[in-house]
Every structure is written in C-alpha cells, then in structure tokens.
Amino acid sequence: MQTSWWLWALVAVCTGDQFRDEAERIMRGTPVIDGHNDLPWRLLTMFNNRLQIERANLTSLANTHTNIPKLRAGFVGGQFWSAYTPCDTQNKDAVKRTLEQIDVIQRMCQMYPETFVCVTNSAGIRQAFREGRVASLVGVEGGHSIDSSLGVLRTLYRLGMRYLTLTHSCNTPWADNWLVDTGEDKAESQGLSHFGQSVVKEMNRLGVIIDLAHVSVATMKAALRLSTAPVIFSHSSAYSLCQHRRNVPDDVLRLVNQTGSLVMVNFYNDYVSCRQEATLSQVADHLDHIKKVAGAGAVGFGGDFDGVSRLPVGLEDVSKYPDLVAELLRRRWTEAEVRGALANNLLRVFEAVEQVSDHTQSPEEEPIPAAQLQASCRTMYGYSEAPSLHRQPGALLASLTTVLLGLGLL
Ligand SMILES: [Zn+2]
C-alpha cells in the first residue's frame, strides 16, 4: 500500500535524524580527538607558513579539509597536528623543517586563542574540553626528524612533541618502514636496531607516545614488545579489510589488545577500500573490525585530513565526524564505546604514557654508531675519527702543508 510505504520512509528519515542528534549530544560532552591532521603541511605548501596573509585566514580558509568553522561543525575537541617533513629532507634539513612546522602549530594557537589552545598533557586536553577550545598537540611524523640523535629527540619533547611516528615512508638508520613489506625497500634494522631500541626506551622515559603508523610489521612488533607504555597507530586502518601495507594486520591487532594500545583509523580511500572510491560506511567497517579483533578500547579516529587526496563519500572534511558517529550508533555501538573511540581511549593511552614516564631516571646517552650515520654532508664531531674541537690555525696550516706536499705542489 502506498500509505505504508510513505510511513516507512518517514520512519527511516526520523531514525536517521535520531542517530545524528544522539551523536551530537554525545559529542557535546566528549568531542573527538583526532590522531593526525596535516593542516600544518598545507600551511607550508600554500603560504610558506605565513599565517597573517589574507588567504591564510583559518576562519575562511578554502580548498582544505580543515578550517575553524569545519572543526566546530565536526565537534573536534583535540587534534594532534602533524609536524611533518618529507623523506627527501632526511640527512639534509629535516630538523630545521620539523622545528618550523612545530613553530607554525604554536603560532596557530597564538593567533586564534579563542579556538586553539596548545597543550602538552592529558590534563590540558580535559581542560580544553571544558573551555570549548581545540586542544592542540604536536605529533612529529617520521623518525628522520630526530636525525638519529637522542639529544634532538629530547629537545623536540621540550618543544611540545607528544608523539613521534618512528618512520615515514622511508627507513631511518634505526627503524624500517612499511615499504619493506611491499619489497620496495630493503630491511635494514630488522624492525628496530640497537639504537632504535634506545629511541623507544627514551620515548618511554620522556613520555612521548610511540606512533607506529607507517612502520614495517617487524618494527610494529619490536616496538610493541619493547615499549613499557601502550602505543598508537595515529592514522592506520585494518589490513584484513584492505590489503595495503600501511594498514594493521590482525596478529598485530591482537598485540594492540594485549598492550592496551590504540588504532586511530585513517580515512584515505586507498587504505579504506584499496580503491580510489570509498564510503563512510566502509570506514565504519574498519572501526567495527578493529573493535572485534582488538576490543572497543583500541579504536580511535585519525582521519589524515589535509594529508590525502581522496576521501570517502560522506567524510569529505573534518565537519563530517558526527555522521560517522551516527553510523556507529546505528550499528549498535554503546554510548561508552563511542565515547571511547572519540576521546577516552586516547586519553587512557596518553595517561598511561605519562605514568610510565620518569624524568628522574637517567637519560639514554649512547649515540648511534658512526658507521650507521648516512650522508657525506654531515660533520662527525664527538666521534673518535672527528677532528679535535680545539684545532689551532697552526695545526690547520700543518695539515694543509701535508696535503699539498702529498700532491707534490710544494
Ligand atoms: Zn602519514
């Protein structure tokens, strides 16, 4: 009968709205903490980090997945902003570029204090929630940003870095990346080298979250085994639903469960459906799968907004988070499970990382072996084969004379 068809259609529409209303009610109390957003990289490539020019106004910023009105509409209450520098800066200006990306994040907080507040701990996130501001944290994406130096690692911590992704899409001299699993790169550290293990230990001591997005499966397992605190995957999805090596396989998901760790699901179409097109519902499938294998406490969101070129229909920008939450409610996720995925799981991991940290413990000091440092443009001060610090002009002249004599020029 025609009447009942309309009635059912009406019921369907009302139910749809109900889940959306319910999502908004939940998110007013527990906004989303997203694990990975590349807006700082966009600010570099679009404006060379000039925030004061007219087009860079974050209230009206166009052609990005992220701006202030979209963050507000999406109930984003916490954001790990990515301090990212590409792999081609490795052994070159990676540290400088990382510092500049941390600087642009901090200037965002300074310029828009009514929207952003830069925080460095879990209490700061909770306080930002109460104030209705976006808790802004620094995630450094790629171990090449520390340039194989524990001193740089510690200094980045002091500047606000609260997670470090052990690799981007390249090996560091101490950790292997996911391209090792596709055969495009060679395994060099078999997961983590001895120095890589020191990096992980030092991150535990400092209270920097270990991020395993982008690393090889061997590196995932080595870090999960070694870390005394839970870890995160700041923007990775489930391998068993889309066989892309950037995703997390089920045996690793079980380790995630055993260690109280967290997978923040990436929305990039290529990792969601292994195709150019994807849907919001397929993202929910990844969340369902991780919940099934690793538990509801292991699920989070790491959209990778402004870091990817293709996003699912229905999740086109950061304003769409309530639609994804409505879909989880439609799939009978409980309110506690949804609040966990939104923020509470990340807060639990972050608090555990803070508890494990111990600044009274002695820092790791053993430098990476000289032979493992790459690139010819670096100096080797501190290593035995390096020239002495107090080399005198006379000594320089003497060695110059030796060289010239050797060449038969004197
Ligand atoms: Zn990434």
Side-chain angles (χ1 to χ4, degrees), residues 46 108 152 234 299 340 369 385 389 394 401 406:
M46 292 165 79
M108 270 170 53
V152 173
S234 69
V299 186
E385 54 269 56
L389 179 65
T401 311

Side-chain angles (χ1 to χ4, degrees), residues 111-122:
M111 228 176 130
Y112 301 92
E114 67 294 340
T115 301
F116 303 116
V117 54
C118 279
V119 304
T120 53
N121 55 33
S122 56

Side-chain angles (χ1 to χ4, degrees), residues 79-114:
Q79 184 65 65
F80 280 90
W81 299 107
S82 176
Y84 162 69
T85 183
C87 278
D88 62 357
T89 65
Q90 176 153 231
N91 298 317
K92 295 183 204 146
D93 53 354
V95 174
K96 171 225 178 204
R97 292 222 172 253
T98 306
L99 295 178
E100 287 176 344
Q101 293 315 97
I102 293 174
D103 170 69
V104 83
I105 294 165
Q106 288 170 346
R107 282 189 290 122
M108 270 170 53
C109 292
Q110 200 175 28
M111 228 176 130
Y112 301 92
E114 67 294 340

